[in-house]
Amino acid sequence: MSQWPSTKARIVLAALLRSGWMLKRQSGSSHRILSRPEWPDYTFAFHDQDEIGPRMLARIAKHTGLTPEDV
């Protein structure tokens, strides 16, 4: 398993959108509901400038199928 580097939330969101996730709806400035066929909806609850650490990135990857190479 590759090590996740800390990454800005806007970069992670862009990687999710490139990998097939779509913005279903947005509530306020940070909570975005993402959808993808064959996957349960995922709530991405970070502001664009937030720094997401390795442990949270690993958790996001578990729920979305994101890999370090995608980012």
Side-chain angles (χ1 to χ4, degrees):
M1 182 172 152
S2 297
Q3 180 64 20
W4 286 93
S6 292
T7 308
K8 292 282 187 187
R10 71 175 178 275
I11 295 171
V12 176
L13 180 60
L16 286 169
L17 295 175
R18 280 194 310 271
S19 68
W21 288 88
M22 296 177 295
L23 185 61
K24 187 174 184 179
R25 70 178 184 272
Q26 184 166 347
S27 172
S29 62
S30 64
H31 284 69
R32 297 173 178 100
I33 310 302
L34 304 176
S35 66
R36 183 177 180 184
E38 315 262 332
W39 289 79
D41 287 355
Y42 181 72
T43 302
F44 189 81
F46 300 96
H47 290 100
D48 287 345
Q49 294 300 318
D50 287 349
E51 191 77 20
I52 303 176
R55 294 182 92 180
M56 182 52 83
L57 284 169
R59 183 179 288 166
I60 292 169
K62 182 178 180 181
H63 292 281
T64 63
L66 194 68
T67 64
E69 293 76 31
D70 294 334
V71 179

